[in-house]
Amino acid sequence: MFLKGIALIPTDLSVSERSLRDLALQVASLKPKNLIFIVPEGHIFTDAISVDYLETVDIDGRDYGLDLGLLDDFRDVLVRNGLPNVFLNPQGLEEYGIRFEFPEFAQKYLKLQQKVLPEFKMAVISPGGLSGLDLLKTGRALREAVEVSGKDSVIIGFCDIYRKDDQIYTETLKHCLRMARYDSVLRLRVPPKDQSSLEALILCIGATEGLKTHSVRFGQ
């Protein structure tokens, strides 16, 4: 099994560095070759997921390599299943008038991860405004691509399960995840500002559905 596990990390910048460091150490212990980041910010399209398709990306002055082989496999599976996607190479970035961005909350974790896992390649995926079912299918496609690539990988999903302002939502979502009632997760309604975080979670669920593997749910 090449998908070694998943870490769900809240997007709250107030999360302590010590807690993030502990998580980074747990991820490093799995010795992944690839870290797949699911970020609810960045190049968000209303009708497709977006994937950065670049050899390297500059994050806070440091170059990180992307696994283009894994991304090729991912695109093949997406196309085969008719799932909308935008792979952003340099020409695509120029065409859409955008540049690569990595959210601040993700940078905070990445810096700590790099210290304890110096060698790895990345993938950066932003969920778009797809239906919940298509997001689940996209997650399954990601898992299939990881298995085809043959490289041990860990998914780092930035999404918020706890919401301080909505205890009912928090308890409902935790119950759905605990009981594996993913159809109920698809029916959850959240304010527009929280929609992309829920979409990121649904994509992660699709990638790990039915998978018995190491799972870290920091702060969730």
Side-chain angles (χ1 to χ4, degrees):
M1 187 62 66
F2 301 113
L3 183 54
K4 304 290 287 185
I6 181 171
L8 301 182
I9 307 176
T11 61
D12 187 352
L13 281 169
S14 67
V15 173
S16 73
E17 184 171 312
R18 179 176 179 178
S19 297
L20 289 175
R21 187 184 302 113
D22 288 345
L23 173 62
L25 286 169
Q26 292 181 66
V27 171
S29 72
L30 299 174
K31 300 179 180 179
K33 299 296 183 184
N34 285 325
L35 296 181
I36 302 170
F37 291 90
I38 311 298
V39 294
E41 294 181 13
H43 317 312
I44 302 296
F45 290 79
T46 60
D47 56 356
I49 68 160
S50 68
V51 181
D52 289 289
Y53 190 76
L54 308 163
E55 290 189 4
T56 62
V57 292
D58 181 303
I59 300 175
D60 196 27
R62 184 184 185 93
D63 285 337
Y64 292 86
L66 273 62
D67 189 333
L68 297 186
L70 168 63
L71 296 180
D72 286 338
D73 292 331
F74 186 34
R75 180 165 50 190
D76 288 345
V77 181
L78 290 172
V79 171
R80 188 170 69 245
N81 288 276
L83 295 166
N85 63 86
V86 177
F87 277 63
L88 292 165
N89 58 18
Q91 292 74 27
L93 290 172
E94 183 177 355
E95 178 183 347
Y96 287 106
I98 55 180
R99 59 185 179 85
F100 174 81
E101 293 182 357
F102 203 61
E104 187 177 354
F105 54 78
Q107 289 187 40
K108 181 178 179 180
Y109 172 77
L110 179 61
K111 291 177 183 178
L112 296 171
Q113 186 67 80
Q114 197 278 329
K115 290 180 180 179
V116 294
L117 185 70
E119 298 295 329
F120 62 86
K121 286 195 172 183
M122 297 172 56
V124 183
I125 301 168
S126 296
L130 301 180
S131 68
L133 183 57
D134 275 351
L135 285 169
L136 274 181
K137 291 178 179 178
T138 298
R140 293 167 188 156
L142 176 59
R143 177 176 170 181
E144 182 178 343
V146 169
E147 293 171 348
V148 170
S149 75
K151 295 179 182 177
D152 289 343
S153 302
V154 170
I155 292 174
I156 310 293
F158 293 95
C159 50
D160 298 307
I161 292 177
Y162 286 110
R163 286 181 53 197
K164 297 176 182 178
D165 61 341
D166 194 337
Q167 191 64 28
I168 294 178
Y169 169 85
T170 297
E171 293 304 320
T172 300
L173 182 52
K174 286 169 60 180
H175 175 74
C176 291
L177 294 176
R178 186 166 53 247
M179 303 302 294
R181 294 181 54 186
Y182 302 136
D183 57 331
S184 297
V185 176
L186 303 188
R187 293 195 294 269
L188 287 172
R189 295 291 179 264
V190 296
K193 66 181 179 66
D194 298 318
Q195 185 63 37
S196 59
S197 176
L198 179 60
E199 290 167 351
L201 175 62
I202 293 172
L203 197 156
C204 289
I205 288 173
T208 55
E209 189 176 4
L211 181 66
K212 295 182 178 180
T213 185
H214 185 79
S215 177
V216 178
R217 289 182 179 169
F218 164 71
Q220 303 286 19

